[in-house]
Amino acid sequence: MLASGRLRVAILRPYAALPSEGGANDRYVNLCGKLAALGVAPELYCSDFVHNSKQRRSTDALALNQQRLPFLRQIRSIAYRGNLSPARIAHEAVFGVKAVWRLIRGGRPDVVVVGEPLFLVGWMALAYGFCFRTPVVADLIDLWPEADTAAPRGLSGALRRAAYGALIASRGLRLRCYKAVSFASRSYARRLAPPGEAAPVFYWGSQLAPRRGRAAQSDRLVAIYAGSLGLGYDIETVLEAARIIRADNAPLRVVIAGDGPKRDDVLRAQREGAVDHLGQLGRDALVEAYENADIGLLPYQADSKVAMPIKFFDYVNFGLYVVASLAMEAQDIIAEKGVGASYTPGDARGLAAKLSEIAANRSVLERARAASQALAAEFAIDAQYDNFARFVIQQARRSGGRLD
């Protein structure tokens, strides 16, 4: 039950990343921490089922999460395998009903925050808000389902596109029904903010920072990619560019960290001597890898709808020169602030030429590092979530809630 006598905030996000999975930078966990620091009583409702691994959290994992995050409310729901499946929709339906029932039993919060995109939970939250006269606001973190550019062909592809069209229309209507909407990127705000309404943006930010000064620069620069080796990433182009760089004997080494479906391709390139694969890195090892790198790679497939990935904030914090294939806000900032360069997804020779050019003209690294310092201060996680929390508090106060 939410604490009495304090401003009360309920956050509905079934797909939160929690400590039991090594989640160290979840947007809504960070928001709850800042709200609590400002004297608010937050509750974060999430599912007991892990979306990325498609596994249910164990009893020990549930206990660990609750111990570390006392504001957490974990709800048991239906398991699913497919991201777009009847079981996935049923999962949200069960989660939403249980979350709303807990809100009804626990007393009216001053505001409900919904982490979008979703299937059904947003509508359930809006129904609760209408019945109990509680403001419901949304925070949109990505452009799914537009981000899925790999829909199959034929009848199954046509059906999926029709389903996506319905989801997009449903989301658009929901965004007009919320009392307010915040965004994780200006690109998303420009595209989806309801006409005539304010579109506050609160960036995800990075929890990683250098522990020591940069390592002495060697004769060979290091370009690093650390993250998922999944289907949405332009890993093949990075590997082919690394092969070209090795054949040309350019003074640059490509390092890759992470795991995923394209791991075998990375291991093959490592056996050829084109890249170094560091595997899946923990926090301390990742910090050390960034401290020893010069260039940060953001390789995404063509038509990616990723705007401001967490890796971008990581790279900026470490003063790395960013080379990205993105076409949204991160690309705009890279060009405007001079902290990196862009390449065309799939163009391995173009990427190799760009990296070789940087290795031959290292002064660009120093200029980018100076610009990154200002960006790191702007995107600092403490400042971003302080602004986010105060925005939520403002919405709660409009409902008559008070902050002691």
Side-chain angles (χ1 to χ4, degrees), residues 1-2 17-21 29 32 42-48 57-76 102:
M1 184 172 182
L2 291 170
L18 302 180
S20 60
E21 299 89 60
V29 170
C32 285
E43 283 196 336
L44 172 58
Y45 293 84
C46 80
S47 172
D48 71 333
R57 294 184 175 98
S58 67
T59 301
D60 289 343
L62 295 173
L64 172 66
N65 294 333
Q66 204 63 58
Q67 178 185 8
R68 295 191 181 180
L69 307 175
F71 49 77
L72 187 63
R73 305 293 178 264
Q74 299 170 99
I75 294 176
R76 186 173 182 83
R102 288 198 187 187

Side-chain angles (χ1 to χ4, degrees), residues 52-134:
N52 290 337
S53 66
K54 303 295 187 290
Q55 293 180 341
R56 196 177 299 282
R57 294 184 175 98
S58 67
T59 301
D60 289 343
L62 295 173
L64 172 66
N65 294 333
Q66 204 63 58
Q67 178 185 8
R68 295 191 181 180
L69 307 175
F71 49 77
L72 187 63
R73 305 293 178 264
Q74 299 170 99
I75 294 176
R76 186 173 182 83
S77 190
I78 293 172
Y80 59 89
R81 292 185 178 180
N83 289 344
L84 187 66
S85 65
R88 168 82 181 276
I89 297 171
H91 169 271
E92 273 206 21
V94 171
F95 170 87
V97 168
K98 289 184 175 181
V100 168
W101 179 240
R102 288 198 187 187
L103 293 182
I104 294 171
R105 292 184 60 193
R108 186 178 74 88
D110 295 294
V111 66
V112 175
V113 180
V114 178
E116 288 274 4
L118 295 162
F119 288 94
L120 299 173
V121 172
W123 286 119
M124 294 179 174
L126 286 167
Y128 170 84
F130 177 80
C131 292
F132 292 90
R133 303 183 64 185
T134 302

